[in-house]
Amino acid sequence: MCSRYSEDCYIQAVNEVQNCTWQKRPQEYSRFRFFLSSCCNAVNNFIVSQNNTSLGSNITYEVESKKNILIAEDIYKMLPKSQPFDGFPFKQCAVVGNGGILTNSSCGAEIDQSDFVFRCNLPPIWGNAVADVGNKTDLVTVNPSIIALKYGKLNEMKAAFLRNLTSYGYSFLLLPAFSYSSNTAISFEVHHLLKKYQAKQRAIFFHPNYLKSLAQFWRGRGVRAYRLSTGFMITSAAIELCEDVKLYGFWPFSKNLNGKPISHHYYDNQLPKPGFHAMPKEFYQVLQLHYKGVLKLQIGACLKR
């Protein structure tokens, strides 16, 4: 199937999938979840916590493997005692990517009915977008580059940052504080800012060991990239943390199912750095999981209820 990862091949493959009724296959789901948890163990290791990281220990950075950071008392106090998600395992989870395929999808209401909603990189969930993407958010990832570019590293634009966060309700903000050493200070700043202003949101941090194990897991399945995309990381965690997983907005191609051009994101057309992620290879894996009944991939419009 699409060994060269061509857009037209994928569009044809997905159109064929759309003609079939999707069914969850519990045995396939349990089998894949077992392999994933044996390798990566999101239940205990997804987030840096006091349970999996002791005071006075050193954490090695995910990407900069020769660098580490001492978990001194000030850092230790930032960490939740254990994995902070109440209600685990969640029944129905929505993992919402930011693909332009979401435009005019009318998926918002369906997404908002999920028990737990994951989002990526502080996407706009207000105004006209709500009908397509919903606004319920339980966890949203925050790329430090967004903080730097959009909010001036929080030097002058703290108020704007806090104001925009109100759209995300009582959600977790998940930051890669220990992926690169350059991410650490800004991630900690977000944590302190939320606490200082008693924001509804709470900052938590990816565990670098989880991300390293996850990269190794997917590398063994052909996804070789400088780094996995955030959406793929979150999807992997969701398979361990949820009973049913449905993906929305996962579409790394420049055309929709009818071959018409679409923007890269539903809110802009900014393309990823060339060679940084392996999006078509990730999509191949997602499509395989859809075929096998492990998760459901929503492409195109949702049925209005």
Side-chain angles (χ1 to χ4, degrees), residues 60-101:
T60 301
Y61 283 94
E62 174 208 348
V63 182
E64 298 172 312
S65 57
K66 293 182 179 178
K67 292 186 178 181
N68 55 50
I69 183 169
L70 175 69
I71 302 303
E73 192 168 353
D74 59 334
I75 299 176
Y76 189 72
K77 284 179 178 176
M78 292 187 216
L79 309 179
K81 285 189 167 56
S82 58
Q83 301 300 289
F85 312 116
D86 294 330
F88 160 83
F90 306 106
K91 179 148 182 53
Q92 180 67 50
C93 290
V95 183
V96 187
N98 298 328
I101 198 82

Side-chain angles (χ1 to χ4, degrees), residues 74-268:
D74 59 334
I75 299 176
Y76 189 72
K77 284 179 178 176
M78 292 187 216
L79 309 179
K81 285 189 167 56
S82 58
Q83 301 300 289
F85 312 116
D86 294 330
F88 160 83
F90 306 106
K91 179 148 182 53
Q92 180 67 50
C93 290
V95 183
V96 187
N98 298 328
I101 198 82
L102 277 169
T103 302
N104 299 321
S105 67
S106 300
C107 287
E110 184 176 301
I111 289 168
D112 285 350
Q113 287 176 358
S114 306
D115 297 307
F116 199 96
V117 179
F118 299 85
R119 297 184 189 271
C120 300
N121 295 335
L122 292 180
I125 52 169
W126 46 80
N128 295 334
V130 174
D132 294 328
V133 305
N135 58 15
K136 175 179 166 67
T137 307
D138 296 284
L139 181 150
V140 59
T141 65
V142 184
N143 190 324
S145 65
I146 293 172
I147 304 291
L149 295 171
K150 195 172 178 181
Y151 298 104
K153 296 185 179 177
L154 300 178
N155 292 328
E156 303 291 333
M157 302 182 70
K158 290 177 183 176
F161 178 66
L162 290 166
R163 190 166 57 248
N164 283 353
L165 284 187
T166 59
S167 298
Y168 301 101
Y170 289 91
S171 61
F172 293 103
L173 301 191
L174 177 54
L175 297 117
F178 306 111
S179 292
Y180 298 88
S181 54
S182 58
N183 287 351
T184 306
I186 192 68
S187 298
F188 288 177
E189 175 67 15
V190 170
H191 179 278
H192 294 314
L193 192 66
L194 297 182
K195 200 165 183 182
K196 179 179 178 180
Y197 290 95
Q198 299 181 322
K200 294 177 181 178
Q201 301 77 27
R202 183 178 173 192
I204 54 177
F205 309 125
F206 274 113
H207 201 302
N209 292 349
Y210 171 76
L211 295 181
K212 280 187 273 194
S213 297
L214 193 64
Q216 188 174 5
F217 176 86
W218 285 114
R219 201 175 294 122
R221 285 159 176 77
V223 183
R224 294 179 181 85
Y226 182 72
R227 201 151 181 267
L228 298 176
S229 72
T230 304
F232 202 54
M233 294 171 183
I234 295 299
T235 297
S236 302
I239 292 170
E240 285 197 65
L241 299 174
C242 309
E243 293 175 12
D244 295 293
V245 177
K246 190 166 183 180
L247 306 189
Y248 301 82
F250 278 72
W251 187 251
F253 308 115
S254 62
K255 295 181 282 191
N256 66 14
L257 291 177
N258 298 319
K260 293 182 179 177
I262 57 171
S263 61
H264 186 67
H265 298 133
Y266 69 84
Y267 48 86
D268 68 27

